[in-house]
Amino acid sequence: MTFTSMNDLSSLAIANADLADVKGKVIFFRTDLNVPMADGKITDTTRIDRTAPGIADLAQKGAKVVVAAHYGRPKGARVDAMSLRPIAPALADAVGREVTFIDDCIGSDVATAINAMAEGDVILLENLRFHAGEEKGDANFAQALAEGIDLYVNDAFSASHRAHASIAIIAGLVPAYAGPLMAAELSALAAALETPQKPVAAVVGGAKVSTKLAVLEHLLDKVDVLIIGGGMANTFLYAQGVDIGASLAEPDMADQARKIMASADQHNCRIILPVDVAVAKEFKEGAASRHLTIGEDALDADDMILDAGPETVALAVDALNAAKTLVWNGPMGAFEIKPFDAATVDLARQAAILTRMNGLISVAGGGDTVAALAAAGVGNKFHYVSTAGGAFLEWMEGKTLPGVAALLGQE
Ligand code: AMP
């Protein structure tokens, strides 16, 4: 099954309609509360804020909502620093209801808490990954999670590339539904790659070709223009015989890069590589940089290409101008260190303008990409920005996500 065809999505919508009748039902609400923390304080509540309306809505309809999530990688052991306890007050604020924290996610304390719940109550279970059965996708653990549960809701797209017990296994034990955030994410992703308005443009940047090879291969068949930026563009330039000095690149991926270029030709997919670049001799904030035109200006042996140049951005903007849909993952350069954020920031701002003025359907995702768009001040100006990292990439690779397949398998 390929995931998120329009038919699949309409069955999810039907399933969601059933979620209206939840009064008195005990709902296991699997979500993503993996928020960044420093010194015991949450530094970014985006994930909590995004899932809270779904919880509030079910509670408002009289459901008893049992919220479950993972935090960090405790590897099957109880690690105090990875407890969800400090998240409970922030969740309560965002949901607008009291949230009772339970010290485990299975067992007698959980059963007692569920029995004592009134309609509209919300409880938060302890980190699912304190039990090894979660990441193993253990059937007995999933059965223990399903104890006393009437319905299952998955609102955690970002964890749905894992065949974990609370994601893929429990969905087969009780009636399962997509939560509102999951449904919104799936329809945005379907609009971008499954049934997109054409022409479709993709921006793929970031450090390495090797981590995004599957993404590139899948996109060739789906998009009309592929804009390649970041360190991975260096590998493509190298593969074409361009001297890239001391730039980050993967010479052993040159063959793969040439294969991708050849395959793009066959698929009528235009590839845009940097035609001009910013180079520096140091990888640090404010390093002295020079602007070079590829094919005209020579790099010194110790020059590093750290960003695409303005002519490259202009080419990319032309392509976006002609496009109806944009999918974006990965920065155009070393965007964390100024001035090498320029191409990423400029292109992101232009994409935001085209989203508003041209109706460009712009979808972006991945941890670095979210940070880059936020730094460009356009985090909320795209059609949809997914905070999912690995799940977003696997979706861009065309993979079936186990958590989504489990929901569709219910139909
Ligand atoms: P990824 O995690 O694959 O999306 O890669 C993102 C990382 O690639 C960021 O930390 C960027 O700083 C880095 N990056 C992008 N372009 C370059 C470049 N030209 N040279 C070195 N690092 C880069």
Side-chain angles (χ1 to χ4, degrees):
M1 172 176 33
T2 55
F3 112 86
T4 70
S5 75
M6 269 334 239
N7 286 341
D8 292 338
L9 283 172
S10 52
S11 31
L12 280 178
I14 293 163
N16 281 328
D18 292 349
L19 263 184
D21 184 21
V22 295
K23 194 170 156 56
K25 300 265 169 54
V26 181
I27 299 187
F28 187 98
F29 192 97
R30 174 54 160 110
T31 190
D32 183 354
L33 301 175
N34 214 354
V35 288
M37 307 238 313
D39 302 328
K41 293 214 160 56
I42 301 168
T43 54
D44 177 2
T45 58
T46 306
R47 282 186 160 153
I48 295 175
D49 297 339
R50 282 191 166 191
T51 196
I55 297 169
D57 181 54
L58 291 171
Q60 163 70 24
K61 288 175 181 152
K64 304 171 182 177
V65 190
V66 179
V67 181
H70 69 276
Y71 194 87
R73 298 202 166 148
K75 302 209 166 111
R78 186 170 273 272
V79 179
D80 285 344
M82 294 180 196
S83 171
L84 282 173
R85 187 185 288 277
I87 308 283
L91 185 62
D93 277 352
V95 171
R97 282 173 191 261
E98 204 174 303
V99 172
T100 307
F101 179 74
I102 311 296
D103 204 24
D104 206 342
C105 60
I106 53 169
S108 56
D109 287 355
V110 177
T112 307
I114 290 176
N115 277 332
M117 286 175 94
E119 290 179 5
D121 278 356
V122 180
I123 64 176
L124 172 64
L125 303 181
E126 182 55 288
N127 192 344
L128 292 157
R129 292 189 186 169
F130 282 2
H131 291 266
E134 166 64 356
E135 293 189 65
K136 283 188 189 141
D138 182 77
N140 290 330
F141 180 66
Q143 190 67 57
L145 290 175
E147 209 59 51
I149 299 296
D150 298 315
L151 304 174
Y152 168 80
V153 172
N154 182 351
D155 211 31
F157 174 80
S158 53
S160 291
H161 56 317
R162 312 277 188 211
H164 292 174
S166 71
I167 293 287
I169 314 302
I170 187 176
L173 301 177
V174 285
Y177 302 93
L181 186 58
M182 166 74 100
E185 186 113 23
L186 291 179
S187 61
L189 298 188
L193 273 192
E194 301 299 323
T195 51
Q197 290 186 38
K198 290 189 153 257
V200 186
V203 174
V204 182
K208 293 180 169 177
V209 173
S210 51
T211 55
K212 295 197 181 160
L213 195 58
V215 170
L216 293 171
E217 282 168 349
H218 181 64
L219 289 182
L220 292 179
D221 187 23
K222 296 264 178 188
V223 308
D224 303 284
V225 185
L226 180 56
I227 300 158
I228 299 181
M232 51 193 294
N234 299 340
T235 302
F236 278 82
L237 293 174
Y238 172 87
Q240 291 186 309
V242 175
D243 178 8
I244 56 166
S247 304
L248 171 76
E250 295 169 288
D252 55 338
M253 295 300 289
D255 268 350
Q256 293 289 356
R258 281 188 288 267
K259 274 187 198 144
I260 286 170
M261 304 279 291
S263 173
D265 271 351
Q266 282 163 12
H267 285 95
N268 271 334
C269 168
R270 178 179 162 220
I271 290 192
I272 297 181
L273 288 175
V275 291
D276 63 337
V277 291
V279 302
K281 296 186 192 298
E282 288 175 296
F283 190 87
K284 69 166 201 205
E285 181 100 18
S289 75
R290 279 153 46 236
H291 173 256
L292 302 182
T293 301
I294 299 290
E296 282 179 23
D297 305 320
L299 278 82
D300 296 338
D302 56 351
D303 275 336
M304 291 180 286
I305 299 173
L306 293 180
D307 199 13
E311 286 159 41
T312 308
V313 173
L315 269 183
V317 171
D318 276 353
L320 296 194
N321 224 336
K324 291 218 158 59
T325 304
L326 164 67
V327 192
W328 185 332
N329 174 265
M332 292 293 286
F335 76 101
E336 302 96 330
I337 47 173
K338 286 188 168 78
F340 308 107
D341 59 338
T344 305
V345 166
D346 288 352
L347 189 58
R349 290 190 179 149
Q350 294 295 334
I353 290 169
L354 291 173
T355 301
R356 199 178 69 236
M357 306 296 288
N358 269 14
L360 177 71
I361 297 168
S362 50
V363 175
D368 275 326
T369 314
V370 176
L373 297 187
V378 298
N380 54 1
K381 295 189 174 131
F382 272 45
H383 193 246
Y384 194 82
V385 177
S386 170
T387 56
F392 187 84
L393 268 188
E394 289 200 17
W395 165 75
M396 276 185 91
E397 291 171 2
K399 283 194 183 150
T400 300
L401 306 197
V404 177
L407 293 179
L408 297 172
Q410 291 286 312
E411 294 307 301

